[in-house]
């Protein structure tokens, strides 16, 4: 793993590089001009989970503050999935970051179609993050919040029957009454976050924050992320760029109606390992 941005340390070669690019060929750096060891970027090593957690830490939040970040993966040619799933375009380090982001969050917001396609289970407690979560006043694992208009979900799966923190269902006031009743009978808390059949993305953020779930993470899918983008409710995008090409007609990471004016974000961090780029962009 290497940090490409922001640059905090430079290698000795960077510190002594000539100004003329042609003079850089076959240059040997004299030993007495090398940077001190503690200033040299030690690249291409595996980062610890603590280092990843520090790199992806949520910003400080005020008493009424909240922060919604998305975590997505995309191929070089813009596909957000392959054969309907994200796993084929992911990698080992991407999954370590996926787990780290979950371990930092109060709540993971996910669309019902993603729950069905990816076979979602409850977030699990991890010893490596236990002290960090306790110090932040968090429970042992993040809450999963499923966004659905139809409530077409299997309430007998472990996501609903055996989570460490009760799974929430976010829906609209006009959701099917029989499905809402079935969810309630199964012991699921149904949160109304919209006046119609569907949800209001900005209201999702507020409803969760009102429950003390202020460090928010969404894992999509593309339709849900598109709703957050359209509502200008997204504070941060953590995007893994996978070094593969897939062609085909797979969805992008964000779908739905186009925004009137594109939302511009600013880069916060870029890491690299094995050709994967792990980027973070924040709202300006």
């Amino acid at each position: 793993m290497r940090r490409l941005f922001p640059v905090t340390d430079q290698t000795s070669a960077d510190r002594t590089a000539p100004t003329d690019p042609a003079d850089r060929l076959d240059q040997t750096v004299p030993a007495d001009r090398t940077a001190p060891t503690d200033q040299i970027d030690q690249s291409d090593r595996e980062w610890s989970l603590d280092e990843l957690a520090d790199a992806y830490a949520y910003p400080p939040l005020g008493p009424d503050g909240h922060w919604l970040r998305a975590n997505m993966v995309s191929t070089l040619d813009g596909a957000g999935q392959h054969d309907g799933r994200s796993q084929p375009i992911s990698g080992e380090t991407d999954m370590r970051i996926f787990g780290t982001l979950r371990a930092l969050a109060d709540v993971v917001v996910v669309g019902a179609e993603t729950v069905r396609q990816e076979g979602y289970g409850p977030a699990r407690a991890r010893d490596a993050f236990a002290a960090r979560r306790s110090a932040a006043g968090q429970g042992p694992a993040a809450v999963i919040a499923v966004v659905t208009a139809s409530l077409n979900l299997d309430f007998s799966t472990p996501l609903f029957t055996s989570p460490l923190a009760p799974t929430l269902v976010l829906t609209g006031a006009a959701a099917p009454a029989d499905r809402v009743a079935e969810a309630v009978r199964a012991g699921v808390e149904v949160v109304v976050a919209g006046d119609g059949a569907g949800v209001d993305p900005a209201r999702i953020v507020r409803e969760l924050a009102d429950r003390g779930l202020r460090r928010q993470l969404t894992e999509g899918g593309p339709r849900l992320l598109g709703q957050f983008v359209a509502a200008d409710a997204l504070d941060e995008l953590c995007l893994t760029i996978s070094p593969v090409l897939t062609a085909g007609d797979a969805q992008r990471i964000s779908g739905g109606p186009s925004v009137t004016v594109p939302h511009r974000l600013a880069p916060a961090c870029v890491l690299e390992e094995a050709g994967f780029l792990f980027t973070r962009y924040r709202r300006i």
Side-chain angles (χ1 to χ4, degrees):
M1 175 80 75
R2 299 183 297 154
R3 185 190 298 273
L4 304 183
F5 178 85
V7 178
T8 54
D9 296 306
Q10 295 181 347
T11 62
S12 58
D14 289 337
R15 291 176 180 272
T16 59
T19 56
D20 186 347
D23 292 338
R24 293 175 184 162
L25 297 177
D26 301 322
Q27 181 198 37
T28 301
V29 180
D32 60 354
R33 293 178 64 194
T34 58
T37 302
D38 61 356
Q39 293 180 341
I40 296 176
D41 180 19
Q42 303 295 325
S43 61
D44 279 348
R45 61 179 178 82
E46 182 176 294
W47 284 25
S48 69
L49 291 176
D50 273 339
E51 288 175 302
L52 288 176
D54 288 341
Y56 283 90
Y58 280 84
L61 299 177
D64 299 320
H66 47 71
W67 190 265
L68 174 64
R69 65 168 35 148
N71 180 33
M72 304 294 283
V73 59
S74 170
T75 66
L76 292 173
D77 52 352
Q81 53 189 230
H82 185 63
D83 288 338
R85 302 181 66 232
S86 60
Q87 188 277 332
I89 63 174
S90 181
E92 181 179 351
T93 301
D94 182 47
M95 294 310 299
R96 292 183 79 221
I97 292 174
F98 175 92
T100 299
L101 292 177
R102 278 196 165 198
L104 296 174
D106 296 328
V107 60
V108 178
V109 188
V110 62
E113 184 62 19
T114 299
V115 167
R116 291 187 288 265
Q117 287 188 347
E118 303 279 356
Y120 261 59
R124 59 188 179 91
R126 300 179 63 185
D127 292 342
F129 298 99
R132 188 181 291 262
R133 290 189 65 86
S134 178
Q138 297 171 301
V143 174
I144 304 292
V146 183
V147 179
T148 175
S150 67
L151 279 83
N152 182 20
L153 298 163
D154 184 353
F155 298 116
S156 67
T157 62
L159 177 61
F160 298 102
T161 61
S162 56
L164 287 174
T167 297
L168 303 177
V169 166
L170 301 167
T171 192
D178 59 332
R179 296 299 298 166
V180 172
E182 183 175 347
V184 172
R185 284 195 298 270
V188 176
E189 182 178 355
V190 178
V191 179
V192 175
D195 295 329
V199 296
D200 173 355
R203 186 167 165 183
I204 287 177
V205 173
R206 295 194 303 270
E207 290 286 349
L208 293 174
D210 288 346
R211 286 167 169 75
L213 305 173
R214 303 190 298 139
R215 303 175 189 90
Q216 301 168 3
L217 169 67
T218 180
E219 296 170 351
R223 185 165 50 187
L224 177 60
L225 180 55
Q227 290 179 296
F228 282 125
V229 170
D232 196 19
L234 191 69
D235 297 299
E236 179 180 331
L237 173 63
C238 299
L239 176 63
T240 294
I241 302 174
S242 177
V244 299
L245 299 168
T246 61
D249 57 358
Q251 287 181 294
R252 297 160 46 200
I253 65 166
S254 178
S258 175
V259 298
T260 304
V261 178
H263 300 165
R264 184 164 184 174
L265 305 180
C269 182
V270 180
L271 309 175
E272 185 274 336
E273 183 173 290
F276 284 81
L277 294 178
F278 307 99
T279 72
R280 291 176 62 202
Y281 286 85
R282 291 185 173 184
R283 69 161 61 242
I284 298 175

